[in-house]
Structure formats: structure tokens, C-alpha cells
């Protein structure tokens, strides 16, 4: 199953192969993804895929009057994941997600990511259950299609506001295609942007071999709305010869952090 282009999943080429409460299998193309802050290939699409596949498994476990909201996402990668994808950029990354433990007030999904049957990453998505909101907007019934052949940053509708130095900033102007079914920026889109600003922060001014993202941890605190002042801010906490740590925030127009993340990178 593919999604229409006027949905966040369709824009990034996500496809479903299995879809149910016991197992979800989905894919995303990642070979053309470039971080607009650094010009280097990025593993950011894997965060989108994890958010989708793991969140979908949790969503299938809801009761009829419930909805799910993702609270945490974690992704642990092989540092050479970018190089593995680059060896066959036309092949998608595959995620296989399963539930972990019984359904309670929260649900946890485990996710394994592969590329041409090579293990790339392991991940988790934790969701909690809320009363079904009144403002759920169904996705359109438009025909599915391949993602548009435009630069990755254009798909995300982000623009570079600040680059260079220990702080890196991407703006998130309004683009309704990037919204989820309750009208806020899709969590997978935000997770991708947070990885990119954090990765750019640890690599700012770095000569020689880049530090490559090995772990991404995201906490969703509140709704994140796109707009002229909405932005992703990445700040390096520590950068050494072989490792780097950065934090990132999605900041709304009110100046409050809506989503926070931490990236650890290695040479």
C-alpha cells in the first residue's frame, strides 16, 4: 500500500506491506536524503519510518473510543548506516515492527530496520492512549504515487535559518501536507528535522571524517504547529575527536519546546 502525495507518508514515499496489531512492515526510500545544513547524506528518513511502523503497531491496539499519541521514539544505528544505504541508493529501507508487552495505559513497539537484508538499526516507539479527538481529518482518497523528485529539504518544507557554529537552525514554515490527521506536524517529520540539526551541530567546523549518528532519542512533549516562527534548533553539548553529543528542540511560535531530542554520534 502506498499513500497519496498530499499526505506526509506519501510525500516521503512510505509504503506498507503488512499492517496489523501483531506485525507491521513498511519501507521508505532513503538514498537521496541530504541534510540541507551540511550537504551530507543523512539517516533522517529512518526516523520517519520508525515513527510510522512502530506507531502503527501501537495504534492497532487501541480500543474503539481511543486514539494513540507517540510520547517517545528511540533509534540505535550502525554508524556506517549511511554508507550501506549509499551502496544501493535505489533500494528502500525496510522496517518490521512488533508489539512488546501487553497493552496498558501505554504501548511499546519494537522495530528492526534493514537495507537489502543488512541490519541497519533497532528502534522503539512508546505511545499512550487518549480519548479519540473530535478533529481527526481522514487522509485523502487520491491515487498513490512515487514521491516527487525534489530535494529532501523541499519535501520537508524546511529552510536554513542558521548554520555554522555550535547551534544550527531549520525553520518549519506552514505546509499542510506535513500535518498528521489531527492537524499538527507529523511526528516523523519533526524527528527527521531534529536529527539533522543535531547532526549538523556536532559536525560544525569539523575537518576530516564526519561524526555519524549512532543514536537518536526523541520525546514528544506537546503539539508542534508549523509557522513562520516555528523552528528546529540543534546545539552541540560535547564534541571530541571520535564522539559528539547534541541536543535538539522543536520550538513553536510561542517560544516553548514542543519536542526534544538527543543525538550521539561517532566517527
Amino acid at each position: 500500500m502506498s499513500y497519496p502525495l498530499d499526505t506526509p507518508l506519501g510525500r516521503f514515499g512510505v509504503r506498507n506491506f503488512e499492517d496489523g496489531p501483531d506485525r507491521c512492515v513498511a519501507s521508505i526510500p532513503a538514498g537521496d536524503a541530504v541534510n540541507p545544513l551540511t550537504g551530507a547524506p543523512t539517516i533522517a528518513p529512518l526516523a520517519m519510518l520508525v515513527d510510522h511502523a512502530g506507531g502503527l503497531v501501537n495504534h492497532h491496539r487501541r480500543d474503539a473510543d481511543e486514539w494513540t499519541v507517540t510520547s517517545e521514539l528511540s533509534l540505535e544505528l550502525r554508524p556506517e548506516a549511511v554508507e550501506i544505504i549509499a551502496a544501493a541508493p535505489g533500494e528502500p529501507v525496510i522496517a518490521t515492527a512488533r508489539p512488546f508487552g501487553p497493552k496498558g495505559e501505554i504501548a511499546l513497539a519494537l522495530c528492526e530496520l534493514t537495507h537489502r537484508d543488512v541490519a541497519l538499526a533497532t528502534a522503539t516507539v512508546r505511545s499512550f492512549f487518549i480519548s479519540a479527538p473530535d478533529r481527526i481529518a481522514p487522509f485523502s482518497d487520491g491515487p498513490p504515487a512515487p514521491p516527487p523528485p525534489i530535494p529532501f529539504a523541499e519535501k520537508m518544507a524546511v529552510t536554513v535559518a542558521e548554520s555554522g557554529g555550535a547551534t544550527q537552525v531549520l525553520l518549519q514554515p506552514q505546509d499542510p501536507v506535513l500535518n498528521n490527521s489531527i492537524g499538527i506536524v507529523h511526528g516523523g517529520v519533526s524527528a527527521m528535522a531534529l536529527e539533522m540539526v543535531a547532526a549538523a551541530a556536532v559536525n560544525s567546523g569539523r575537518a576530516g571524517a564526519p561524526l555519524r549518528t549512532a543514536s537518536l532519542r526523541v520525546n514528544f512533549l506537546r503539539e508542534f504547529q508549523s509557522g513562520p516562527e516555528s523552528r528546529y534548533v540543534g546545539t552541540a553539548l560535547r564534541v571530541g575527536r571520535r564522539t559528539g553529543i547534541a541536543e535538539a528542540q522543536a520550538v513553536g511560535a510561542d517560544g516553548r519546546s514542543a519536542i526534544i531530542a538527543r543525538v550521539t554520534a561517532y566517527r
Side-chain angles (χ1 to χ4, degrees):
M1 172 187 174
S2 299
Y3 293 89
L5 289 178
D6 60 351
T7 66
L9 299 175
R11 175 171 286 188
F12 293 96
V14 173
R15 295 186 61 196
N16 281 1
F17 300 100
E18 294 184 38
D19 183 356
D22 298 318
R23 175 176 148 113
C24 287
V25 181
S27 70
I28 195 169
D32 64 346
V34 172
N35 188 330
L37 289 159
T38 65
T42 175
I43 55 85
L46 278 60
M48 177 80 169
L49 182 59
V50 168
D51 179 82
H52 169 67
L56 192 56
V57 165
N58 291 339
H59 194 65
H60 275 302
R61 304 172 75 189
R62 73 193 190 282
D63 293 334
D65 60 345
E66 291 180 326
W67 201 252
T68 48
V69 176
T70 296
S71 59
E72 295 180 66
L73 180 154
S74 68
L75 177 61
E76 299 289 340
L77 298 124
R78 296 173 60 156
E80 68 273 19
V82 165
E83 287 85 353
I84 293 171
I85 294 169
E91 293 294 324
V93 176
I94 307 293
T96 302
R98 296 181 176 85
F100 182 77
K103 175 186 182 290
E105 294 184 358
I106 60 172
L108 180 65
L110 303 181
C111 194
E112 299 294 329
L113 279 66
T114 61
H115 186 261
R116 294 170 296 146
D117 295 325
V118 176
L120 286 185
T122 184
T124 60
V125 173
R126 197 180 303 271
S127 308
F128 61 89
F129 298 93
I130 63 172
S131 298
D134 296 329
R135 68 179 198 271
I136 298 172
F139 282 155
S140 73
D141 293 326
I150 58 177
F152 188 64
E154 190 173 335
K155 291 180 186 179
M156 293 189 64
V158 292
T159 57
V160 175
E162 186 176 335
S163 62
T167 299
Q168 305 278 326
V169 181
L170 288 173
L171 298 179
Q172 182 68 83
Q174 289 183 348
D175 186 337
V177 174
L178 299 181
N179 289 345
N180 62 17
S181 56
I182 58 174
I184 62 175
V185 178
H186 190 283
V189 173
S190 294
M192 289 193 293
L194 291 169
E195 189 281 329
M196 291 194 297
V197 294
V202 296
N203 281 294
S204 179
R206 185 177 180 83
L211 296 175
R212 299 170 294 183
T213 297
S215 70
L216 169 68
R217 299 184 182 278
V218 182
N219 291 93
F220 299 88
L221 307 180
R222 56 183 59 88
E223 295 183 353
F224 180 55
Q225 303 277 356
S226 58
E229 298 179 41
S230 298
R231 58 202 182 275
Y232 305 100
V233 182
T235 305
L237 300 178
R238 181 190 180 279
V239 180
R241 271 194 320 118
R242 297 183 179 179
T243 64
I245 301 171
E247 65 178 8
Q249 303 176 69
V251 181
D254 60 0
R256 302 171 70 196
S257 295
I259 312 168
I260 60 174
R262 179 164 289 192
V263 162
T264 304
Y266 294 87
R267 206 175 85 182

